[in-house]
Structures are given as structure tokens and as C-alpha cells.
């Protein structure tokens, strides 16, 4: 924290590579710092200049002779290490390396050398390969961007430099004011989490927007993101929905956990708002940076046009915004503002003849009505409207809503006079949009964020598990050089966690088969156990629906004969007698150790088509029961668990227990990399569930000993 303050609020800054030559990055950075109104000391560093842009220049940082909080480095890559060394040895606390030519082109050693040296003295490094930092707190524009920055309350963190520079221009053009803009580049040292730790506490930042390409230290990121969303909204735009991770994965869980699916689940779990486009992100920024959170669910739409009202209604349904529909109350609240040929049903249609005073009346009403919590105001340009009063009407009614602590968003559609009203009002931070969907989606993120804050629950639920037994099973598998558990070992792990599995025993001869069958009860399944027969069904090694002793005897003989015919030299290790599992709802439950985010759990619709249907949901650990229920509710086929067509509700509580148990296993046992139970057959409440087929991957024993 201490060192991050020097990044955002340095009192002195050196620019290594400062130049008098216009067009050079070292020239732009000095110009921006000085021209941006930085109040601290500015020290250009250049081996041959005496003075740059009116500031005394120094041949090296070590020759400045004053305390230097931060340094920007913009000299060619081959000289960067020496320059960093000079900064570190001179006691500079923060070094920003603009220079490219490091890990992004495979020069990892060059980058690591710098980071290692700086770490020895506690100097933090931003970059390399960045366009710099803007921080309103210090009036510091240490970037080489060409655009002037508009001050405001949105902080932007970006991994892409070029996009960041473009965003600086775009924020200005979109009337979004910045409290900070940080280019993270290669994230060799300082990353998103470090910056969030500072920005979270920064009183001038109301909203954070991050553009991310990938996360290196996932668990630290989750921790910092979660802390941040508790106090301010975070919007994330991420590119790279890569499927490379999926291709490399060895299990369904792995292949379904394409890095983006996990990332998406985790950031939503942390309360961040994921945008799909820059446009959306900017609309959301402008709304969240200006508006109060909705205090309840009831939303009204007020319009002068039926079509645009229907569009907004559709958008509300799409984004999960609830329309207020107490018809009596609506009539009472909006009756005085609605002509007889209009409508007080939500959307409230004050009709095409409405002028500014009609809008004033209609829009003031919800601000004062206790049961209405948010307003979507729509306007289609008409000839009867007194256009000169459009901006004052919006300004006035928006202030009224703001004073009442309620959000109001405006979508106004029309020609150039409307466009200029949008521009004027956006500069004043009023959430006015040119399209219905933009306005409704902005209000919806307010609702999403509110619902997250209301339902967040930091409790953690873990299960009590017989880890000694699980460790013994893994010891044995590793001692045999295996990186997977056999089916019966997987079942034993489930039993050690208290997850029900079908009862099963392995008979060595016919007498035992009969004895076990009588003991287990019918119907039963019999399967050959042979290391020489991988595909049991192909070999005729499986018999289903065995209902009595005679059928067991027949099946035993038939399987033995079939298998010997299939492979005369096959060694038959035994005959597995298993309870025949009744049909139920097939669910997949999995867990894996994500390379970036650590242990994650997954569940969804199970069975043989999981990878085609892909109806699965992920969560990072730790979790509590409430979050697991939320996870199940996100599965599209969740109604199957609630019971469809007169079926009873399934044992959802048992499934929640199972997910918590699987999560506990992966969390407690580092040697397990993947768990997948497919299917878990879930029955009605009193009949519980059964884990039918469990696959467990373990780390390679050789890697463990490294
Ligand atoms: N200490 C101080 N100044 C030094 C120096 C040193 N060790 N070595 C060189 N300089 C001076 C140079 O003399 C020059 O000053 P001058 O104009 O007065 O002669 C200045 O630093 C810049 O050096 P120069 O060799 O002219 O480099 P450059 O400006 O052409 O390029 C970078 C330097 C950093 C811009 C370039 O190497 C680079 O990495 N460009 C990509 C940056 C980028 O895109 N970053 C990511 C953004 S998204």
C-alpha cells in the first residue's frame, strides 16, 4: 500500500530518456507531466541535455541529489536495466517502464533481471511496455497520450497499452472523467490487484473499469477484487476467450473449464460487472459514476411513444429489471400527468403531444412516490415538443431523482438538436443515452451490483472428510506410478467424503458372486474385472437387470465364456457385483485446480452429452451453501431439479452437500488435480443421490517430489 501511494501520488518524478526533440516519447511525457499541472518536482534525465522544456536536466538519477519518489523510463530496452539500477540505488520507490522489448517478445530474462534487482530494495515496477499513468490525485499525467484528460471519478486499469491510449481519447469524447488511468503492460511486478488496493481507498474514484487479457496471480486477484466490490463497482472487459486450455485438459471438467468460463464465473462471484464491449463499459461507467443505487425493485418507464416504450419493456425483461405493476397506484401517481388517450399502465405513455411541462409533471411523480425505486425516461423527438426546454427538463427531473436517492436514466432519440442535448448533459454527468438498450442496460448494472451487495455472504462451508483414507489411496496410486485413480478407488474417495455410491463387491468365484448378490439385494449388474479387457461391453463382459440368484449364476457363466472367447489369454481378476442404479436426474459435479485461480468447482447437467450441451457453472473456492444454491440456480436446466411435469423436487440439499464435499477434497488434497463425478444421479428428497462414476486425476509423483 505504502509503495502504491508513490505511484499515484508522487511528490517528485524523474523522466529517464527525457528529450527536447518533439515527437519522441521522452518529450511527450515531460510535456504531459508539466502541462498537466503536476505540483511536485520534475527531473528530466538525459546524458547530454542541460535543460528540457524549461526544467533543469540531470545526466543520471543518482546526480539529482534530491529524494525522488517515482521515475518514468523511456529509453531503448538495452539500457533499461542500468537505468533501473540507478533508480533503485538512488532510493526511487516507483519505476514505470514505458519501453517495449521484454517478455512480450519472449525476452523474459531481461525482464526478470530488472524485477529481481528492484525487489531487493523494495522498489516497485510498473510495466514494462506501458504508456504510463494518469493520476488525478497528484495532477499527474505521466503518459505519452496526445489527448487532454478530463478529471472525474472513473479509474481505468488497462493491460493493453494501445487500447489504453485510445481509451484516454474516448473517455474525453464520451464525457467520462478520470480519477486515474494505469497502463499495466507486462505486469512484471505491479498488477491489477496492487492497483485495486490503492484505488479502493481513493475517495475520488467512484467506479473502476478494467480491461484485462489474462490474470497471472488469480487467487490474489480474487481477494483484492472482492474487497474492492464491497466498496465500489468494478466493470471488467476481458478479451481472449481462448480454448487452448480446454484442448490441453484431460477431463470433461477441464475441457468445459475453458479459461474464460472460469474467469467469467469468478469475477461475477466477486461482484464485478462484466461488459462485452467498450461501448457498454463506457455507458455503465457514466451511469454508475453519477447515480445512486436503486433502493428497491419497482421500475417505471415513462414515454411519449408506444414503440420505444415496448422496446424498453423488452430490454427490462432481457436485463431482469422488474416493472412496477400496481395499477391502482400507477393511476394515482401518473393520472394527473397523463392525457385520457394516454396510458398509466407501465410503460406510462404521456403520448406524442407531450411538451416539457408534461414531462416535468410525469417525471417528478416517481421521484416523490415511495414505492417507485427507479425510472426510465424515454423521449422521441416530436414537432410539438419545446426542444429548447429538453435539457432543462432532464436536468431538473434528474436532480429531483438524485435528491430522492433514486436512479433515473434517459434515452432520447432524434436528430441533431437531440444529439447536442445528449452531449451537453453527458458533460454534466447526467445519464442520458441515444438508445433504449444503452439506458436500460446501464440501469440493470446498478440492479446487478445492488443485488450482489445485498446477497453477499462471506461465510465459508467446508465438509468433514476422512482425509487419511484418501491420502492412503493416493499414496498407493502414486507408488504404482499412476496419475489417475481406478474406478473403485474413485468410489472409495467418494465414500471417505460421505458421498453415496452404488454398493458393489468383487467376487472371485461363483459361490462368492451368489453370496454377495444375496447380500446386496436385487436388481444387480455384473461386470468383468480384467486388466486385459478395457471395453467390457464389447467383450460381452456386462450383464444388467439381474433379478435373482438364477440370473446371477447364468450371467457369471455367460460373462466368463464371452470374455474368454473375446480374448482367450485374458486374466479375469474377478466379477464386480453392483447395485443397479435407478434412473434419476443426471448431474455432473467436478472440481479442478485452475492454473491461475486455484481450486474451482463445477456442476451442471450431466450424462454423456455434457460437452455438447455445456450447461455447467463454475465457482472458485471458498464457498458457502447459499452460493452453491445460487450456482445451481444458474444452470439452465435447473428446473429439472425442481421437478417438471408433476415430478417431485429432487434432493437439491444433498447435491449442495456433494458440491461442498468435492470442493473440500480438492482444497485439502493438493495432490488431486481433477475430480469429476458424471453422473451424480439425483432422486427425490428422501431417496437422496448416488455418485455413479468418479474419475480422479492426481499429480505425477515425480513432479510432487521436485
Ligand atoms: N539515460 C537517460 N537518457 C538516455 C539514456 C540513458 N541511459 N539513453 C538514452 N537517453 C536519451 C537519448 O539520448 C534520447 O534523448 P535525445 O532525444 O535528447 O537524444 C532519449 O533518451 C530517448 O532515447 P532514444 O534513443 O532517442 O529512444 P527513442 O525515443 O527513439 O525510443 C523508447 C525509446 C522507449 C520510446 C523505445 O525504445 C520504445 O520502447 N518504444 C515503444 C514504447 C511503447 O510502445 N510502449 C508501450 C506503449 S503501449
Amino acid at each position: 500500500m505504502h509503495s502504491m501511494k508513490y505511484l499515484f501520488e508522487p511528490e517528485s518524478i524523474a523522466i529517464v530518456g527525457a528529450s527536447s526533440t518533439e515527437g519522441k516519447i521522452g518529450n511527450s511525457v515531460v510535456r504531459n507531466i508539466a502541462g498537466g499541472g503536476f505540483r511536485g518536482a520534475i527531473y528530466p534525465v538525459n546524458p547530454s541535455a542541460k535543460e528540457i522544456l524549461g526544467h533543469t536536466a540531470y545526466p543520471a538519477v543518482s546526480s539529482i541529489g534530491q529524494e525522488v519518489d517515482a521515475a518514468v523510463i523511456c529509453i531503448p530496452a538495452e539500457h533499461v536495466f542500468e537505468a533501473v539500477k540507478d533508480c533503485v540505488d538512488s532510493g526511487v520507490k516507483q519505476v514505470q517502464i514505458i519501453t517495449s522489448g521484454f517478455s512480450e517478445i519472449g525476452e523474459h530474462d531481461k525482464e526478470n533481471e530488472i524485477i529481481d534487482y528492484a525487489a531487493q530494495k523494495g522498489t516497485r515496477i510498473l510495466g514494462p511496455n506501458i504508456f504510463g499513468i494518469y493520476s488525478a490525485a497528484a495532477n499527474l499525467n505521466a503518459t505519452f497520450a496526445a489527448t487532454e484528460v478530463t478529471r472525474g471519478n472513473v479509474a481505468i486499469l488497462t493491460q493493453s497499452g494501445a487500447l489504453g491510449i485510445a481509451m484516454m481519447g474516448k473517455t474525453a469524447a464520451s464525457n467520462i472523467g478520470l480519477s486515474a488511468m494505469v497502463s499495466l503492460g507486462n505486469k512484471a511486478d505491479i498488477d491489477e490487484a496492487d492497483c485495486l488496493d490503492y484505488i479502493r481507498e481513493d475517495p475520488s474514484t467512484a467506479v473502476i473499469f478494467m480491461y484485462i487479457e489474462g490474470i497471472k496471480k488469480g487467487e490474489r486477484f480474487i481477494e483484492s477484487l472482492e474487497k474492492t466490490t464491497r466498496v465500489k463497482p468494478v466493470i471488467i472487459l476481458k478479451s481472449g476467450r481462448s480454448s487452448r486450455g480446454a484442448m490441453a485438459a484431460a477431463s470433461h471438467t477441464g475441457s468445459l473449464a475453458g479459461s474464460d468460463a472460469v474467469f467469467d464465473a469468478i469475477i461475477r462471484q466477486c461482484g464485478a460487472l462484466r461488459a462485452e464491449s467498450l461501448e457498454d463499459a463506457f455507458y455503465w461507467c457514466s451511469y454508475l459514476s453519477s447515480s445512486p443505487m436503486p433502493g428497491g425493485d419497482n421500475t417505471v418507464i415513462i414515454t411519449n411513444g408506444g414503440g420505444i416504450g415496448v422496446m424498453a419493456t423488452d430490454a427490462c425483461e432481457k436485463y431482469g429489471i422488474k416493472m412496477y405493476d400496481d395499477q391502482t397506484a400507477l393511476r394515482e401517481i401518473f393520472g394527473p400527468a397523463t392525457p385520457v388517450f394516454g396510458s398509466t399502465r407501465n410503460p406510462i405513455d404521456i403520448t406524442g403531444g407531450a411538451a416539457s411541462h408534461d414531462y416535468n409533471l410525469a417525471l417528478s411523480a416517481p421521484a416523490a412516490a415511495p414505492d417507485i425505486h427507479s425510472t426510465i425516461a424515454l423521449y422521441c423527438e416530436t414537432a410539438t415538443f419545446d426542444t429548447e426546454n429538453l435539457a432543462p427538463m432532464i436536468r431538473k427531473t434528474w436532480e429531483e431523482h438524485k435528491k430522492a436517492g433514486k436512479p433515473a436514466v434517459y434515452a432520447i432519440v432524434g436528430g441533431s438538436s437531440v444529439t447536442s442535448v445528449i452531449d451537453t448533459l453527458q458533460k454534466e454527468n447526467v445519464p442520458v443515452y441515444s438508445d433504449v438498450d444503452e439506458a436500460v442496460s446501464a440501469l440493470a448494472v446498478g440492479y446487478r451490483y445492488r443485488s450482489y451487495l445485498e446477497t453477499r455472504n462471506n461465510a465459508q462451508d467446508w465438509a468433514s472428510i476422512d482425509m487419511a483414507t484418501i491420502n492412503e489411496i493416493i499414496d498407493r496410486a502414486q507408488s504404482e506410478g499412476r496419475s489417475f485413480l481406478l474406478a473403485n478407488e474413485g468410489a472409495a474417495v467418494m465414500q471417505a467424503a460421505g458421498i453415496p455410491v452404488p454398493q458393489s463387491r468383487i467376487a472371485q468365484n461363483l459361490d462368492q458372486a451368489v453370496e454377495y448378490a444375496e447380500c446386496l439385494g436385487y436388481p444387480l449388474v455384473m461386470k468383468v474385472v480384467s486388466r486385459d479387457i478395457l471395453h467390457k461391453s464389447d467383450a460381452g463382459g456386462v450383464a444388467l437387470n439381474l433379478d435373482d440368484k438364477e440370473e446371477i449364476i447364468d450371467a457369471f457363466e455367460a460373462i466368463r465364456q464371452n470374455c474368454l472367447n473375446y480374448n482367450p489369454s485374458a486374466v479375469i481378476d474377478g466379477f464386480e457385483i453392483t447395485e443397479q442404479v435407478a434412473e434419476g436426474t443426471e448431474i455432473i459435479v467436478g472440481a479442478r485446480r485452475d492454473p491461475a485461480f486455484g481450486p474451482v468447482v463445477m456442476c451442471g447437467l450431466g450424462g454423456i452429452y455434457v460437452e455438447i450441451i455445456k450447461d455447467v457453472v463454475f465457482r472458485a473456492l471458498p464457498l458457502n451453501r447459499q452460493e452453491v444454491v445460487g450456482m445451481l440456480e444458474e444452470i439452465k436446466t435447473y428446473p429439472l431439479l425442481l421437478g417438471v411435469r408433476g415430478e417431485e423436487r429432487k434432493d437439491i440439499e444433498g447435491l449442495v452437500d456433494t458440491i461442498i464435499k468435492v470442493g473440500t477434497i480438492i482444497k485439502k488434497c493438493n495432490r488431486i488435480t481433477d475430480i469429476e463425478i458424471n453422473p451424480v444421479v439425483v432422486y427425490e428428497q428422501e431417496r437422496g443421490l448416488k455418485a455413479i462414476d468418479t474419475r480422479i486425476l492426481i499429480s505425477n509423483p515425480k513432479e510432487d517430489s521436485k
Side-chain angles (χ1 to χ4, degrees), residues 15-32 43-58 74-75:
I15 304 95
V16 182
S19 169
S20 299
T21 311
E22 256 187 66
K24 285 203 181 182
I25 285 183
N27 181 269
S28 305
V29 173
V30 179
R31 200 178 285 280
N32 279 344
Y43 303 115
V45 175
N46 182 301
S48 47
K50 292 273 166 290
E51 163 282 303
I52 290 172
L53 295 169
H55 297 269
T56 307
Y58 299 83
C74 39
I75 55 173

Side-chain angles (χ1 to χ4, degrees), residues 15-21 23-27 45-49 52 58-60 73-80 82-83 97-102 104 128-132 144 159-163 165 183:
I15 304 95
V16 182
S19 169
S20 299
T21 311
K24 285 203 181 182
I25 285 183
N27 181 269
V45 175
N46 182 301
S48 47
I52 290 172
Y58 299 83
I73 298 197
C74 39
I75 55 173
E78 60 271 26
H79 305 304
V80 169
E82 281 308 316
I97 306 174
I98 287 183
T99 311
S100 302
F102 295 90
E104 82 281 6
N129 189 32
I130 61 170
F131 73 87
F144 60 89
Q159 196 173 345
S160 158
L163 190 62
I165 297 174
S183 168

Side-chain angles (χ1 to χ4, degrees), residues 316-331:
C316 283
E317 190 173 308
K318 172 170 144 198
Y319 295 115
I321 293 180
K322 295 201 179 82
M323 305 259 294
Y324 185 44
D325 66 357
D326 181 333
Q327 297 307 324
T328 318
L330 285 166
R331 224 175 358 256

